[in-house]
Amino acid sequence: MKASAGEKQSCIKELDELLRMAQYYVDGKPVADKLGSIRFEKSRQKYKSEHDDTLRRFIWRNAS
């Protein structure tokens, strides 16, 4: 019974991680798309600094 519970707990942790990564994608994709559409470097840098955390999570998770 303990082995079965351990396996289920492991699956739950894996699913939680997948849900967290999906949320990073949902949050980060529009921000990354907008960043890609900004042509002027000054505006691009400003937008990038304003959304640094979101972009970092999005890029880091998609690079893995």
Side-chain angles (χ1 to χ4, degrees):
M1 193 115 143
K2 278 188 176 183
S4 177
E7 288 176 22
K8 289 178 183 174
Q9 191 66 21
S10 176
C11 286
I12 289 171
K13 284 182 181 182
E14 187 176 335
L15 289 172
D16 284 343
E17 179 65 18
L18 290 172
L19 287 170
R20 187 172 36 249
M21 286 196 283
Q23 190 60 49
Y24 290 156
Y25 184 83
V26 167
D27 294 343
K29 179 69 170 140
V31 175
D33 288 345
K34 180 161 181 162
L35 180 65
S37 71
I38 298 173
R39 294 183 181 189
F40 298 107
E41 189 61 31
K42 205 170 203 177
S43 299
R44 185 176 170 83
Q45 288 301 322
K46 181 180 177 198
Y47 186 81
K48 190 174 182 179
S49 69
E50 290 171 354
H51 300 286
D52 188 51
D53 289 340
T54 304
L55 288 167
R56 194 173 312 144
R57 276 187 252 123
F58 176 73
I59 292 169
W60 179 73
R61 286 295 180 188
N62 286 321
S64 301

